[in-house]
Amino acid sequence: MLVCPNCQFDNPDSGKFCQNCGLSLTERVCPVCESANLLNVENCSHCGAVVGTTWQAIVSRSLLAQGSASAAVQQSTQAEVANSLKSLPVGAYLDIQQRYRLLAPLPASSMATDVEVRVLDCQPFQLSPLEVLLGYPLDEESIEAEDSTATAAESDSIQAIDLIGQSESAVKTAISPIAQIYLTLQEQLYPSLPLIHDAWERDGQTVVLLEDRTHLPLLMDLWSDPNVLPIQVLHWLHEMTELWAVLQIQHCCQSLLELNNLRVDEDQLLCLQRLYLEKPEGPLELKDLGRVWLLLFQQSQRTQLGSLAQLCQDLEVGNISALNELRSRLEAIANELQPDDHTPDLTPKAMPELPIDPANSDATPSAVETSQGAASNLNPNAVGVTDLSMNPAIPSSAADLSDSDSPTRLELGVPDEEIPGDSDDVPTVVLPMKLMSLEDAGRTDIGRQRDHNEDYFSVQTETEKLESPTGRTLHARGLYILCDGMGGHAGGEVASALAVDTLRQYFAENWRDNQLPNEEAIRAGIHQANKAIYDLNQQNARSGSGRMGTTLVLVLIQDTEAAIAHVGDSRLYRFSRRRGLEQVTVDHEVGQREIQRGVDPAIAYARPDAYQLTQALGPRDENFISPDVEFIELNEDLLLILCSDGMTDNDLLETHWRTHLDPLLNAQTNLELGVQQLIELANQYNGHDNITVVTIRAKVRPNLEQLKS
């Protein structure tokens, strides 16, 4: 099937346009000049911008052949594979299906070492055979609808069609061993580990296609940069330590010993280009990692901090043999680098499981060998957008929101599988953060079944950009309000608008300094909005279901701090690379109330009134309103998503976050377009109610200037 890159709709292989949104499935629009290009070209024919989908191909001898074949057979297999590699010039296809075209010649090899080459995906909207297997059980009807005249060549890749009706174990067996290792590790390590796109085995060789990371800078190059502070170097060492703890379970620690394999992404996160399996002569030890650290300092000619130099030496000679000891030493050095007035957070943490998110160099030897405000009215398709990106010199850092590991904090946790001799009780040193960019977009839509829109939202942002010899800093204040009204025609829409207007006026008068209002002040504002609607109900002698009211979800941002408040079932979600999607607010409804009283969720939501609100602004006086208020820190790159229930019903975000939220973390992605696509998604799957979404994208990085001072 062909998956539309715009709306993720599944189309038949023969389709030329998406059956849902009408997008062409045979061409790709250049993001720079907007000209149409064929799918089998890497660069735009008009402006030269990259438009194609590329993968990094790793060609190696089959793991099964390595483990079971005799020496003579292995020699024969290596010679056969080497001969076959010689016949693949630039433009040839790596696979029999002629989907993956070589962008560089595939060199001959004795297969003593792997061969790496970039390939162009000439069918980028087509699911790969591996992706089909990962979607087990297979949809037999959809496969029968495909071309029934499959050639013999097609059977040489993973046998997706032939596996219909087979056991799940048989399906897993069809996935090559190295692909299984990638799939296992990426659950914990993405984005440090690249996503695997496809894999197959044929003629004694294994081919793995990975997310192309050859454009990312090498760690060695950044290590040599004098502008990179010691605290950042220390953090990279910490990341390598935590990666080692996970990789050694799968015997892949060699991946950290190849200098050309260590890269850094736009968020200063240490990334692996691929996995290297350990050699059979024996397991690697921490002193091997120590040799790499010493080599990084030697080749970069970077001056080492005394305690850091001693750490590398102790590690290299084997004086440090346990991960927990190494973590403690790193944490002690981090304390040295903290400013005198900075008190580190030593709360014990544990490394959580990380979500899977489905989306040019030469080899080197192994080391061991602006102000803006906006508000929307009731226009069913109103849009509010603010773009405050500063384009910092150093990429923003992806840390965690409140209590998780991140590249902007020394999060000395352990993976789910414990390493013998190590402890979970390890400390965390949190670095001070600064805001680098703040963007937002909001949209409301009437939906497909309502005749008027009772939702209302407001986006209001004030910013101040400061530049000095020590760097750039963005100070920002944002007020984001979303309300979902109720009470019938000319009732709900009045209530939601009145609540928003009252809150905007309240915070304009009561939020004057450069810090967030406290919990008491926020509650007072919400009670004032409730009183405004309640008094109007009383004046109009409304009673029962005729009394108008509204839900509320509210976010206030001051630099890297945020306050969140809500009443009713409008929600706030947060999304980050490390933690994935999380629902921050808990709906004020009967079902949730019963669960909090200890009732089993299945029983609680079997009640006919389970989704009836227990709180809303307006129907009753302030004695019946108790808003939930909490405060969080923005210490990682993240999205905050305010939604009415037209967006959240049927677990829509929980189901489609990979396709509709994950791309929005990228600063290059148009946030307004992303919100529009969320509205379209809700209309496709829900549509029974009004739909409103406000999305906030915050980019932060460590406040290294503060550390310098």
Side-chain angles (χ1 to χ4, degrees):
M1 68 181 64
L2 299 177
V3 181
C4 175
N6 179 53
C7 66
Q8 310 303 314
F9 187 80
D10 295 338
N11 296 271
D13 287 342
S14 59
K16 297 185 181 298
F17 297 92
C18 176
Q19 296 177 349
N20 181 57
C21 69
L23 184 78
S24 173
L25 300 178
T26 60
E27 296 177 327
R28 176 171 276 168
V29 176
C30 174
V32 177
C33 69
E34 299 185 350
S35 61
N37 292 267
L38 297 177
L39 299 180
N40 60 353
V41 297
E42 181 183 10
N43 300 102
C44 175
S45 58
H46 295 269
C47 69
V50 175
V51 294
T53 299
T54 61
W55 306 102
Q56 182 80 353
I58 314 295
V59 185
S60 59
R61 186 157 50 92
S62 168
L63 289 180
L64 296 177
Q66 294 179 47
S68 59
S70 64
V73 172
Q74 289 185 23
Q75 280 187 346
S76 173
T77 300
Q78 292 173 7
E80 177 185 349
V81 173
N83 289 334
S84 67
L85 296 183
K86 292 179 182 177
S87 62
L88 296 179
V90 174
Y93 290 94
L94 187 61
D95 61 321
I96 295 179
Q97 292 76 29
Q98 297 191 352
R99 172 172 177 173
Y100 305 111
R101 193 172 68 200
L102 294 173
L103 296 174
L106 189 66
S109 171
S110 65
M111 304 309 290
T113 58
D114 299 340
V115 177
E116 302 180 21
V117 64
R118 292 175 66 242
V119 298
L120 176 69
D121 192 341
C122 297
Q123 303 170 30
F125 303 154
Q126 182 78 46
L127 290 177
S128 71
L130 180 60
E131 290 171 327
V132 173
L133 286 182
L134 293 177
Y136 179 91
L138 299 174
D139 183 355
E140 185 170 0
E141 292 182 0
S142 64
I143 293 178
E144 287 176 350
E146 295 179 358
D147 186 1
S148 60
T149 60
T151 65
E154 291 172 327
S155 64
D156 284 339
S157 66
I158 296 178
Q159 303 288 317
I161 296 177
D162 291 343
L163 287 167
I164 294 176
Q166 301 297 320
S167 65
E168 184 173 356
S169 60
V171 173
K172 291 182 178 179
T173 302
I175 301 177
S176 65
I178 185 63
Q180 293 184 34
I181 295 175
Y182 275 98
L183 293 171
T184 298
L185 288 176
Q186 74 182 19
E187 294 185 9
Q188 291 180 282
L189 297 183
Y190 184 81
S192 297
L193 184 69
L195 293 173
I196 182 171
H197 169 69
D198 202 359
W200 64 86
E201 292 190 352
R202 191 179 69 248
D203 298 333
Q205 73 181 41
T206 296
V207 179
V208 176
L209 298 186
L210 303 173
E211 175 187 353
D212 186 7
R213 293 183 166 182
T214 54
H215 64 286
L216 295 179
L218 291 168
L219 175 64
M220 172 61 75
D221 294 340
L222 294 181
W223 203 282
S224 305
D225 187 346
N227 294 319
V228 174
L229 295 179
I231 191 68
Q232 179 63 69
V233 171
L234 185 67
H235 185 74
W236 285 328
L237 297 180
H238 154 70
E239 287 184 287
M240 294 177 73
T241 302
E242 297 308 312
L243 286 171
W244 183 282
V246 180
L247 291 172
Q248 69 175 352
I249 300 171
Q250 297 290 339
H251 308 288
C252 294
C253 289
Q254 184 68 30
S255 309
L256 292 168
L257 307 184
E258 306 284 340
L259 293 184
N260 195 55
N261 197 45
L262 305 178
R263 298 180 177 266
V264 178
D265 72 2
E266 62 177 6
D267 296 320
Q268 297 283 51
L269 178 67
L270 181 67
C271 293
L272 302 178
Q273 183 166 309
R274 50 164 296 191
L275 289 177
Y276 285 87
L277 298 180
E278 296 175 16
K279 297 173 182 177
E281 43 263 32
L284 295 173
E285 301 177 359
L286 280 177
K287 62 182 180 181
D288 297 313
L289 183 61
R291 294 190 187 103
V292 172
W293 291 4
L294 285 174
L295 190 60
L296 282 166
F297 281 106
Q298 292 168 2
Q299 292 193 8
S300 66
Q301 299 183 347
R302 187 181 186 94
T303 303
Q304 299 181 55
L305 191 69
S307 54
L308 186 54
Q310 186 62 51
L311 169 65
C312 293
Q313 292 174 8
D314 288 347
L315 191 62
E316 194 268 341
V317 300
N319 290 339
I320 300 176
S321 58
L323 278 170
N324 196 47
E325 183 181 357
L326 178 56
R327 291 179 175 122
S328 297
R329 292 281 294 270
L330 287 171
E331 187 267 335
I333 298 172
N335 278 327
E336 288 183 38
L337 298 177
Q338 301 295 323
D340 293 338
D341 59 348
H342 180 72
T343 303
D345 176 6
L346 299 180
T347 307
K349 310 291 181 188
M351 180 184 290
E353 282 196 11
L354 306 182
I356 304 175
D357 189 1
N360 308 326
S361 61
D362 298 326
T364 59
S366 165
V368 178
E369 172 89 28
T370 90
S371 295
Q372 179 175 349
S376 169
N377 59 18
L378 284 179
N379 185 333
N381 297 300
V383 179
V385 180
T386 306
D387 186 342
L388 309 170
S389 179
M390 289 175 52
N391 189 22
I394 301 176
S396 59
S397 180
D400 201 17
L401 190 63
S402 56
D403 59 352
S404 66
D405 58 322
S406 66
T408 55
R409 54 168 66 200
L410 291 182
E411 185 73 36
L412 307 182
V414 295
D416 292 337
E417 299 187 44
E418 293 187 10
I419 307 302
D422 290 326
S423 168
D424 284 341
D425 296 328
V426 288
T428 298
V429 177
V430 180
L431 303 183
M433 305 297 293
K434 67 177 180 180
L435 187 66
M436 297 309 299
S437 68
L438 186 68
E439 303 168 79
D440 47 63
R443 180 178 288 272
T444 185
D445 188 88
I446 196 172
R448 294 185 173 180
Q449 297 182 18
R450 298 295 180 92
D451 58 6
H452 64 289
N453 194 343
E454 296 185 323
D455 289 359
Y456 199 96
F457 77 92
S458 171
V459 172
Q460 188 171 3
T461 312
E462 300 175 3
T463 65
E464 179 185 12
K465 184 171 67 175
L466 302 179
E467 295 195 38
S468 68
T470 62
R472 295 179 178 180
T473 301
L474 180 72
H475 293 296
R477 173 187 294 184
L479 175 61
Y480 309 89
I481 312 170
L482 185 151
C483 291
D484 179 358
M486 64 198 75
H489 185 68
E493 57 199 56
V494 172
S496 59
L498 182 56
V500 170
D501 291 342
T502 302
L503 286 166
R504 289 184 62 201
Q505 181 177 351
Y506 173 84
F507 286 112
E509 298 171 355
N510 293 277
W511 185 7
R512 296 185 178 277
D513 52 16
N514 291 325
Q515 64 181 17
L516 288 172
N518 59 28
E519 180 175 346
E520 181 180 358
I522 294 173
R523 288 180 177 274
I526 296 174
H527 282 295
Q528 186 167 311
N530 180 78
K531 184 177 187 302
I533 304 171
Y534 177 79
D535 288 349
L536 189 57
N537 276 324
Q538 295 297 95
Q539 292 172 16
N540 295 333
R542 291 175 177 258
S543 62
S545 60
R547 294 177 71 82
M548 60 184 177
T550 184
T551 66
L552 166 71
V553 59
L554 167 73
V555 175
L556 302 93
I557 291 179
Q558 181 74 59
D559 298 336
T560 57
E561 297 180 340
I564 299 160
H566 90 288
V567 174
D569 62 356
S570 292
R571 295 178 180 176
L572 177 77
Y573 288 85
R574 62 186 176 191
F575 179 79
S576 66
R577 288 177 174 172
R578 286 287 178 177
R579 297 178 67 94
L581 180 67
E582 296 178 293
Q583 181 180 332
V584 178
T585 57
V586 177
D587 296 347
H588 293 146
E589 60 189 18
V590 172
Q592 285 296 329
R593 182 195 65 192
E594 295 304 299
I595 290 173
Q596 292 170 0
R597 291 175 175 176
V599 177
D600 183 91
I603 298 175
Y605 277 94
R607 295 174 53 128
D609 60 347
Y611 294 97
Q612 179 177 317
L613 295 182
T614 57
Q615 287 194 60
L617 298 183
R620 298 191 285 185
D621 64 30
E622 62 179 12
N623 296 317
F624 295 90
I625 298 299
S626 180
D628 290 341
V629 181
E630 62 177 301
F631 295 84
I632 62 174
E633 293 184 5
L634 308 182
N635 54 15
E636 71 169 326
D637 294 348
L638 57 86
L639 301 175
L640 295 176
I641 308 105
L642 297 79
C643 310
S644 65
D645 56 359
M647 181 75 244
T648 61
D649 283 350
N650 300 313
D651 296 330
L652 208 56
L653 290 180
E654 288 83 352
T655 303
H656 297 275
W657 65 265
R658 285 186 177 89
T659 56
H660 285 73
L661 293 182
D662 185 70
L664 299 184
L665 275 176
N666 189 329
Q668 306 305 316
T669 303
N670 187 303
L671 198 59
E672 179 183 351
L673 179 60
V675 169
Q676 179 182 340
Q677 291 174 349
L678 284 169
I679 296 289
E680 292 171 353
L681 179 72
N683 268 321
Q684 178 183 350
Y685 289 97
N686 289 336
H688 57 274
D689 200 354
N690 307 144
I691 306 161
T692 304
V693 181
V694 174
T695 300
I696 308 162
R697 178 166 63 201
K699 292 279 187 176
V700 297
R701 77 175 187 198
N703 194 342
L704 301 181
E705 289 77 17
Q706 180 177 334
L707 292 177
K708 279 182 180 179
S709 62

